[in-house]
């Protein structure tokens, strides 16, 4: 100890200071060696794990929404790949571009071969503006904020995304996978197809009906990322494949639907109607081939997401079309034959209630077939003297009136058919000619198709098949067909309806083809609530001798009033197209017409 003290004194002040500095360095060196030993030998694994975690990123791999197609595979709705452009304002403000040189032509920044000319957010903005349709001033303002996240542009195409990638501004600006729903035919099937919300979820129309089927399942990728957020090659840690949604094929033929839409729109304009609806159904299967209204709503629009298809949601009294269902019930119960004879005045009073035909006429000798041809309300009441209220109700119900169609389309209305016990003395008789209950276009189409299909009511359907991401195609289960009336009854009704078609040959006849039809005209409530409006309709079967299609046309408040004079000509236009498109053989001459007079 004394020797150390003597040495310390001998060193002098300068020496002592040097010794202290040497000791300090020695202690510091020893500390660094210890820390390095700890990092490399003791804590290396935990520190490496922590570093790895800071670089680990998980990206969602989006499962695309399935397509909606028509019966021929024409795409009606599909999701397309798009990207949202996202900036980091705080990071962008520190950006310093690297000028391109002969030795560095890739990891550098230029605009049309020239230097960027500035730094920070302005430089990022100039580079980005060169490839997206947003000016540099707007982008610069967005990138001058105090956050780490701002959406600079939504839904850019993959081609634009690739251009952004080549700008070498990863981290300052990134692109995030998104998608948009595209509809190929504007207002065609607009509200019926409906639309999706901002998350891609179906909110109306077919998009809502088949949302579960169409929706894909997202996957993910977990990887090590570089400074710009990009995946470091060979660092994939975990992943799960996305599964795209299934494609839905409809029974709709878009070519037919387009023509129906045009014919209907032209007819609404010609007759100055408030609106129009048209349906084309395959008689033998129940498939809906066209379903249109005159509303000009684009699929996928806000309007399409807020409004149901009028062809599905609108209800109305069918008027004299309802005579078909009432008369079929009389025949089925054996109360009458089509050849039964009646002397029919133009008015009749029953239980204190007076009913009249659409026009005055002398007492006329008509068969039951003639009553249908002339659409006589009075004749229907006379023929129904043994037809009970309960029987009238049951046959309307069997034909599907006031009942769910089974299509399950969003916002579809069932109409209304109150029970026979709720009818008053007048309603009991008005139901014989299509008043006192309401229906929709789908219901009366299928009811007439039941007559055309030999008395068997098919389950209507609009979804033809579903094909999943693996290419497996399935056919959705449909409800069973049911017999409503005997084949002989259906045959007699179709025969009488053909006489109606002949009566309107000048307005609705189709050259070379026999048609069976029924017209209707019903007073309905107008805007003021009183019976000031008219619904005019026509339902036709063609060809009558070998039924293929039922076509329904409905107009609200047309000039010309009567269904045969307004909706009938539109039916003719549609029918001619159908016969031509499907190359339906022309009809054989009619030889078995039931007499309409006696």
């Amino acid at each position: 100890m004394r020797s150390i003290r003597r040495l310390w004194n001998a060193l002098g002040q300068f020496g002592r200071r040097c010794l202290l500095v040497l000791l300090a360095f020695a202690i510091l060196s020893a500390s660094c060696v210890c820390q390095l030993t700890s990092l490399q030998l003791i804590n290396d694994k935990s520190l490496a794990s922590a570093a790895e975690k800071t670089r680990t990123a998980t990206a969602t791999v989006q499962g695309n929404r399935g397509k909606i197609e028509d019966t021929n595979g024409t795409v009606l709705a599909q999701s397309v790949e798009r990207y949202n452009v996202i900036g980091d304002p705080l990071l962008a403000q520190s950006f310093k571009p690297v000028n391109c040189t002969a030795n560095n032509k890739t990891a550098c920044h230029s605009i049309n071969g020239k230097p960027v000319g500035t730094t920070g957010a302005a430089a990022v903005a100039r580079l980005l503006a060169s490839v997206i349709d947003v000016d540099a001033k707007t982008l610069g303002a967005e990138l001058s904020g105090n956050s780490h996240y701002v959406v600079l542009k939504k839904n850019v195409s993959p081609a634009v995304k690739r251009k952004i990638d080549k700008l070498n501004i990863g981290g300052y600006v990134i692109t995030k996978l998104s998608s948009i729903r595209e509809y190929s035919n504007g207002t065609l099937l607009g509200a019926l197809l409906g639309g999706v919300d901002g998350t891609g979820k179906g909110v109306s129309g077919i998009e809502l009906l088949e949302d579960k089927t169409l929706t894909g399942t997202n996957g993910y990728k977990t990887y090590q990322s570089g400074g710009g957020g990009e995946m470091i090659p060979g660092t994939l840690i975990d992943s799960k494949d996305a599964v795209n949604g299934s494609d839905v094929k409809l029974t709709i033929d878009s070519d037919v639907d387009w023509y129906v839409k045009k014919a209907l729109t032209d007819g609404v304009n010609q007759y100055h109607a408030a609106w129009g609806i048209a349906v084309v159904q395959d008689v033998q299967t129940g498939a809906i081939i066209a379903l249109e209204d005159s509303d000009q709503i684009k699929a996928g629009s806000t309007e399409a997401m807020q409004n149901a298809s009028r062809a599905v949601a609108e209800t109305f009294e069918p008027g004299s079309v309802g005579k078909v269902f009432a008369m079929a019930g009389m025949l089925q119960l054996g109360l009458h034959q089509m050849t039964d004879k009646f002397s029919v005045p133009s008015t009749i009073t029953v239980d204190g209630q007076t009913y009249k035909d659409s026009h005055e006429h002398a007492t006329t000798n008509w068969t039951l077939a003639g009553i249908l041809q002339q659409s006589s309300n009075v004749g229907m009441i006379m023929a129904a003297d043994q037809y009970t209220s309960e029987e009238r109700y049951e046959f309307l119900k069997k034909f599907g009136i006031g009942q769910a169609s089974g299509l399950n389309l969003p916002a579809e209305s069932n109409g209304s058919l109150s029970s026979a016990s709720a009818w008053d003395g007048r309603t009991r008789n008005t139901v014989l000619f299509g008043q006192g209950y309401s229906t929709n276009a789908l219901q009366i189409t299928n009811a007439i198709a039941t007559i055309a299909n030999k008395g068997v009511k098919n389950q209507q359907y609009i979804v033809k098949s579903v094909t999943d991401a693996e290419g497996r195609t399935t056919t959705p289960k449909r409800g069973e067909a049911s017999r409503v009336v005997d084949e002989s009854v259906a045959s007699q009704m179709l025969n009488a309806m053909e006489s109606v078609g002949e009566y309107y040959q000048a307005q609705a006849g189709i050259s070379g083809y026999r048609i069976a039809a029924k017209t209707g005209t019903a007073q309905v409530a107008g805007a003021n609530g009183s019976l000031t409006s008219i619904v005019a309709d026509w339902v036709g079967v063609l060809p009558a001798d070998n039924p293929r299609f039922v076509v329904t046309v409905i107009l609200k408040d047309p000039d010309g009033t009567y269904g045969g004079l307004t909706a009938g000509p539109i039916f003719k236009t549609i029918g001619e197209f159908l016969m031509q498109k499907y190359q339906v053989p022309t009809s054989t001459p009619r030889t078995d017409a039931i007499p309409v007079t006696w």
Side-chain angles (χ1 to χ4, degrees):
M1 189 69 179
R2 289 178 181 176
S3 60
I4 294 174
R5 188 178 296 131
R6 285 196 299 268
L7 179 61
W8 177 262
N9 291 332
L11 286 172
Q13 185 176 5
F14 177 77
R16 288 195 294 273
R17 287 180 178 176
C18 290
L19 183 59
L20 289 172
V21 170
L22 288 172
L23 287 172
F25 272 113
I27 293 170
L28 180 62
S29 297
S31 176
C32 289
V33 170
C34 290
Q35 183 68 18
L36 182 61
T37 301
S38 174
L39 289 173
Q40 291 183 337
L41 301 179
I42 302 173
N43 296 323
D44 61 328
K45 292 183 179 179
S46 61
L47 290 171
S49 176
E52 182 177 328
K53 286 181 179 178
T54 63
R55 297 195 306 271
T56 299
T58 298
T60 298
V61 180
Q62 185 169 309
N64 288 330
R65 189 172 179 84
K67 298 191 292 288
I68 300 176
E69 303 173 333
D70 83 340
T71 189
N72 300 312
T74 300
V75 176
L76 303 174
Q78 65 180 332
S79 293
V80 294
E81 181 182 344
R82 290 294 183 266
Y83 293 84
N84 293 332
V85 183
I86 298 164
D88 185 331
L90 289 176
L91 190 59
Q93 290 162 36
S94 65
F95 174 68
K96 294 181 180 180
V98 176
N99 290 333
C100 295
T101 65
N103 295 325
N104 181 13
K105 295 182 179 181
T106 55
C108 60
H109 307 92
S110 65
I111 301 173
N112 296 325
K114 298 179 180 179
V116 179
T118 186
T119 62
V124 176
R126 286 186 185 180
L127 284 163
L128 193 56
S130 68
V131 296
I132 69 172
D133 188 23
V134 181
D135 64 84
K137 288 184 178 180
T138 300
L139 291 171
E142 293 283 356
L143 290 168
S144 297
N146 58 0
S147 71
H148 282 288
Y149 186 93
V150 62
V151 178
L152 301 173
K153 179 78 173 178
K154 288 185 176 181
N155 299 323
V156 302
S157 68
V160 172
K161 188 259 187 198
R162 289 191 291 271
K163 291 180 180 179
I164 294 172
D165 291 343
K166 293 178 180 178
L167 293 176
N168 297 318
I169 52 175
Y172 307 98
V173 173
I174 62 172
T175 54
K176 187 174 181 181
L177 180 64
S178 178
S179 67
I180 59 171
R181 198 70 167 160
E182 285 190 347
Y183 301 90
S184 57
N185 290 299
T187 62
L188 193 71
L189 299 164
L192 182 66
L193 288 174
V196 299
D197 63 15
T199 67
K201 180 178 177 60
V203 295
S204 63
I206 300 292
E207 294 279 25
L208 174 58
L209 175 69
E210 294 296 323
D211 185 59
K212 185 176 180 180
T213 300
L214 292 163
T215 300
T217 302
N218 290 341
Y220 63 85
K221 286 183 179 180
T222 302
Y223 55 87
Q224 298 295 301
S225 61
E230 73 280 2
M231 179 178 175
I232 299 174
T235 64
L236 183 65
I237 298 170
D238 190 18
S239 67
K240 181 181 179 181
D241 291 338
V243 179
N244 292 335
S246 297
D247 295 336
V248 173
K249 180 171 287 189
L250 304 181
T251 58
I252 298 289
D253 186 321
S254 57
D255 290 340
V256 175
D257 200 87
W258 178 87
Y259 198 87
V260 167
K261 180 86 169 183
K262 182 180 184 303
L264 188 63
T265 303
D266 290 347
V268 165
N269 292 334
Q270 179 180 350
Y271 299 109
H272 305 104
W275 48 257
I277 296 170
V279 186
V280 179
Q281 178 173 326
D282 185 296
V283 167
Q284 298 174 3
T285 67
I288 303 300
I289 297 170
L291 184 60
E292 273 296 349
D293 57 60
S294 58
D295 295 340
Q296 301 299 313
I297 296 176
K298 289 186 177 181
S301 67
T302 300
E303 197 174 4
M305 289 185 269
Q306 294 177 344
N307 295 277
S309 166
R310 188 184 297 276
V312 169
E314 193 74 46
T315 60
F316 48 88
E317 292 186 346
S320 291
V321 173
K323 289 174 177 148
V324 173
F325 320 136
M327 192 175 288
M330 295 181 205
L331 295 179
Q332 181 65 28
L333 293 171
L335 301 178
H336 288 293
Q337 296 293 319
M338 272 296 181
T339 53
D340 287 356
K341 301 174 180 179
F342 299 86
S343 294
V344 184
S346 61
T347 63
I348 191 172
T349 300
V350 178
D351 297 330
Q353 296 286 327
T354 300
Y355 308 87
K356 61 181 181 178
D357 284 343
S358 61
H359 57 280
E360 289 188 11
H361 60 83
T363 298
T364 308
N365 294 333
W366 287 322
T367 62
L368 193 61
I371 288 172
L372 189 71
Q373 184 198 52
Q374 296 299 315
S375 202
S376 172
N377 298 339
V378 173
M380 288 297 296
I381 292 171
M382 293 173 66
D385 60 339
Q386 300 298 313
Y387 195 29
T388 69
S389 295
E390 289 73 19
E391 290 166 343
R392 300 175 193 197
Y393 170 80
E394 284 302 321
F395 273 97
L396 287 171
K397 186 177 178 181
K398 285 181 179 180
F399 274 104
I401 303 303
Q403 315 298 309
S405 70
L407 291 169
N408 299 316
L409 290 167
E412 181 182 351
S413 174
N414 292 345
S416 63
L417 175 64
S418 57
S419 63
S421 61
W423 294 347
D424 59 24
R426 187 167 188 84
T427 302
R428 176 181 185 273
N429 287 314
T430 61
V431 297
L432 296 169
F433 40 86
Q435 297 178 20
Y437 61 84
S438 64
T439 182
N440 66 22
L442 290 164
Q443 287 177 8
I444 60 170
T445 300
N446 206 28
I448 295 299
T450 299
I451 297 296
N453 194 40
K454 301 180 180 180
V456 175
K457 182 163 79 73
N458 284 319
Q459 170 61 60
Q460 291 172 306
Y461 67 104
I462 198 167
V463 176
K464 181 178 181 179
S465 63
V466 172
T467 302
D468 67 17
E470 300 297 322
R472 296 183 294 259
T473 299
T474 57
T475 301
K477 186 177 180 180
R478 295 190 287 273
E480 296 293 328
S482 60
R483 180 164 291 283
V484 176
V485 294
D486 293 341
E487 184 174 341
S488 61
V489 171
S491 178
Q492 290 181 68
M493 289 304 309
L494 197 64
N495 191 308
M497 289 173 64
E498 190 169 352
S499 294
V500 177
E502 289 180 346
Y503 187 80
Y504 287 96
Q505 179 68 28
Q507 292 80 20
I510 298 173
S511 179
Y513 296 92
R514 292 159 51 184
I515 62 172
K518 188 66 192 80
T519 69
T521 307
Q523 283 187 306
V524 296
N528 60 2
S530 60
L531 297 178
T532 56
S533 280
I534 292 291
V535 167
D537 49 6
W538 172 288
V539 189
V541 178
L542 70 160
D545 54 323
N546 184 24
R548 287 280 306 276
F549 306 103
V550 171
V551 179
T552 299
V553 179
I554 301 140
L555 299 176
K556 173 74 175 297
D557 289 330
D559 292 348
T561 304
Y562 297 108
L565 304 179
T566 57
I570 299 174
F571 160 84
K572 174 180 180 175
T573 301
I574 295 171
E576 288 174 338
F577 177 79
L578 289 170
M579 298 299 95
Q580 201 170 42
K581 175 179 172 58
Y582 293 103
Q583 298 181 344
V584 178
T586 55
S587 296
T588 57
R590 188 183 187 197
T591 59
D592 61 347
I594 298 172
V596 294
T597 60
W598 58 279

